[in-house]
Amino acid sequence: MAKKKVASSTFEYVEPIGDRVLVRKDEPKRETRGGIALPDAAEIPTITGRIVTISAAVENDEELPLRQYDKILFHPKNAIPVDLEHDNQLFVVPVEDIVAVFRRNAPEES
């Protein structure tokens, strides 16, 4: 009797739906600016990250200044963890939980 080969189901891409973005959370800080190492219990929690993917709804909305690879500050309460890459912390974050976008240059006034 021949055995049926089962294909492995590995996901390679996550596409957020609705007004959401996929964010790779930054690593928590392990030392202060002065170079003092912090113990694990005293880590400064971080809620910053980089946008990996944006949904089509966000991409087509001209009111939202979000682009792929933007560094953002977000509220982690509604962030949904995604276990796709074991060495990265990925989260699906609703747009309304993004509180700031970090930019190098201020927007020009017209």
Side-chain angles (χ1 to χ4, degrees):
M1 182 178 237
K3 289 188 177 181
K4 198 176 196 180
K5 189 174 184 179
V6 178
S8 65
S9 60
T10 58
F11 297 103
E12 296 179 9
Y13 182 75
V14 176
E15 181 178 353
I17 304 296
D19 290 338
R20 294 178 181 86
V21 296
L22 182 68
V23 176
R24 178 174 289 123
K25 186 178 171 196
D26 290 339
E27 289 291 320
K29 297 183 182 192
R30 301 196 187 274
E31 68 177 46
T32 65
R33 283 187 176 178
I36 299 171
L38 298 171
D40 289 340
E43 284 182 4
I44 301 168
T46 177
I47 52 173
T48 61
R50 294 251 179 218
I51 295 177
V52 176
T53 306
I54 59 177
S55 69
V58 173
E59 187 173 22
N60 296 328
D61 190 345
E62 294 178 8
E63 298 291 320
L64 295 172
L66 300 174
R67 296 184 302 263
Q68 190 175 15
Y69 308 121
D70 278 347
K71 183 170 182 169
I72 60 167
L73 176 69
F74 66 95
H75 190 283
K77 181 180 179 184
N78 295 322
I80 302 167
V82 177
D83 189 21
L84 183 64
E85 299 175 1
H86 300 292
D87 56 341
N88 289 314
Q89 292 182 328
L90 296 173
F91 292 89
V92 175
V93 179
V95 170
E96 58 267 7
D97 286 345
I98 298 174
V99 295
V101 179
F102 296 93
R103 302 271 189 230
R104 293 216 181 265
N105 300 321
E108 295 180 16
E109 293 181 25
S110 47

